[in-house]
Amino acid sequence: MTRTSRPSSKARTQGRRGTPARAESPSRERKPRRGASASAPKTRPPTKKARSLRKKASRGPRIREVVDIQEDFRGPWYLHGVARAKGLAKLGALGLGMPPARIHVMKEGTLAALVSPIPTHRVDPTRANLLAHQRATEVILREHTLLPVAFGTVLSSRAQVQQLLRAAKGVLTTALNALEGKVELGLKVLHHREHLSRRMEMEDFSLRRRAGEPEGEHERRLGHAVELRASLDMAAMLESLRPLAAASRIRAPVGERMLLNAAFLVEREKVPAFEAKVRTLAARSDLYAFRFTGPWPAYSFVDVRFGLDEGTVPAASRTAG
């Protein structure tokens, strides 16, 4: 049996250190790969690390360009609201657009406008834009007293933003004082008229149809009783909730089922007590459906209107009270 001799220890050591134990003959030529030119130099594909470094290097100028645009942007600016300048920190990318624009804090004395860059002066009321507007105000409201403005408020330049803060300083400061530490809570109460009618007939025999009473007359009599019962119940609910609120606003009901459409201005520390009271009212009666929302910016208690043309003086009206 033929025994193959092992390479010497010296040869093995050289092989480990990168020196081949058996060198190719200089006269032997390697065949070119199929489809490649014999004269083309051999190049190795870039490693994964090299590709990653090259990708990062290509991204660098674009990132710096976006930052420069944000810092040097002159307008137009989308106005999210007004707050006190003290204590405002960076708010991040919460503005309109995709990706969301970064919100800037433009200060003028004790006031600050919360704005974000926007490409046009007109903002379409799309679902995405409305949700972005709502999301930004909710985030700001978590830590700051916010004077909200209507959706779609756009100012043409940084100078106009600062002019607005100067011209309406007194009105804006008064409004912020009224809203300090408070949020808006919404309550809608609905009912099913037929369900309430049948329940009232079961509880009060006098409301049932009398012998010989025309059907139309009975329906009118019962309908009047239902409206009276519902109005008294809503008045009692409001009476029990108002002591927990600094102010309240009653709007017109929307639709046939809605009985109450109310907004309440509530101090932050009283929000849990207000919510507990609403739950108690809902548990006491199965005749009504409750829709409780918030906290929101106090849109129902401050109506600030800004002049958007150059040189106009902004106006504001109706603060909380």
Side-chain angles (χ1 to χ4, degrees):
M1 180 181 292
T2 306
R3 183 176 180 179
T4 305
S5 60
R6 296 181 178 178
S8 64
S9 60
K10 183 176 181 181
R12 289 197 303 270
T13 302
Q14 289 175 342
R16 292 192 193 101
R17 292 179 180 177
T19 305
R22 183 179 62 186
E24 293 184 356
S25 174
S27 60
R28 184 180 299 174
E29 296 182 358
R30 293 185 178 182
K31 295 181 180 181
R33 293 181 178 179
R34 185 177 298 176
S37 173
S39 60
K42 181 181 178 182
T43 58
R44 293 183 177 181
T47 63
K48 184 177 181 180
K49 183 177 181 180
R51 290 196 301 269
S52 177
L53 291 174
R54 187 179 300 174
K55 190 174 182 180
K56 289 182 179 179
S58 64
R59 287 178 177 176
R62 287 198 294 269
I63 294 175
R64 286 193 296 271
E65 182 182 359
V66 171
V67 172
D68 292 340
I69 290 174
Q70 294 281 349
E71 295 296 334
D72 298 337
F73 190 79
R74 296 185 178 182
W77 294 94
Y78 185 85
L79 182 62
H80 297 274
V82 177
R84 300 187 189 279
K86 185 178 180 180
L88 278 177
K90 292 183 178 180
L91 298 171
L94 296 171
L96 276 61
M98 187 56 64
R102 183 163 63 89
I103 293 183
H104 296 247
V105 178
M106 291 190 185
K107 298 181 180 180
E108 181 65 34
T110 59
L111 299 176
L114 306 174
V115 296
S116 60
I118 193 169
T120 62
H121 286 79
R122 178 179 175 80
V123 182
D124 294 327
T126 62
R127 176 179 172 81
N129 287 338
L130 290 169
L131 289 177
H133 177 90
Q134 178 180 327
R135 180 183 65 247
T137 55
E138 288 178 4
V139 172
I140 297 168
L141 190 67
R142 292 174 188 170
E143 299 182 3
H144 307 284
T145 298
L146 177 67
L147 183 63
V149 298
F151 171 82
T153 303
V154 179
L155 300 174
S156 61
S157 64
R158 183 184 296 267
Q160 190 180 21
V161 175
Q162 294 174 332
Q163 178 192 3
L164 180 149
L165 296 178
R166 288 193 300 267
K169 179 179 179 181
V171 174
L172 296 176
T173 301
T174 300
L176 283 170
N177 290 339
L179 299 181
E180 186 66 35
K182 302 180 183 71
V183 295
E184 179 175 325
L185 302 176
L187 177 62
K188 295 178 175 60
V189 181
L190 301 92
H191 79 310
H192 194 288
R193 187 180 181 88
E194 291 300 320
H195 175 64
L196 182 56
S197 299
R198 300 288 81 81
R199 177 69 65 86
M200 291 181 64
E201 281 187 304
M202 293 175 60
E203 295 175 351
D204 188 351
F205 289 100
S206 66
L207 294 177
R208 296 182 179 181
R209 187 177 178 181
R210 301 164 184 165
E213 183 180 20
E215 183 178 357
E217 181 63 28
H218 174 250
E219 290 295 332
R220 284 190 294 271
R221 184 166 59 87
L222 180 60
H224 177 72
V226 168
E227 291 178 1
L228 180 60
R229 166 73 177 273
S231 63
L232 291 175
D233 287 346
M234 296 305 104
M237 289 181 189
L238 287 173
E239 192 66 23
S240 63
L241 290 172
R242 275 175 174 152
L244 298 173
S248 60
R249 293 281 183 268
I250 309 300
R251 307 190 192 98
V254 180
E256 295 181 356
R257 294 190 58 203
M258 188 177 295
L259 295 173
L260 180 65
N261 185 9
F264 299 88
L265 188 66
V266 181
E267 296 179 8
R268 291 180 185 270
E269 60 268 20
K270 291 185 178 180
V271 170
F274 192 96
E275 183 176 359
K277 185 64 176 180
V278 172
R279 289 179 177 175
T280 300
L281 293 173
R284 287 178 180 174
S285 176
D286 61 349
L287 295 174
Y288 306 110
F290 291 73
R291 294 181 182 175
F292 181 67
T293 60
W296 307 108
Y299 284 104
S300 301
F301 300 91
V302 177
D303 184 11
V304 179
R305 304 179 186 278
F306 300 114
L308 300 184
D309 297 331
E310 288 290 348
T312 58
V313 178
S317 62
R318 202 187 72 182
T319 57

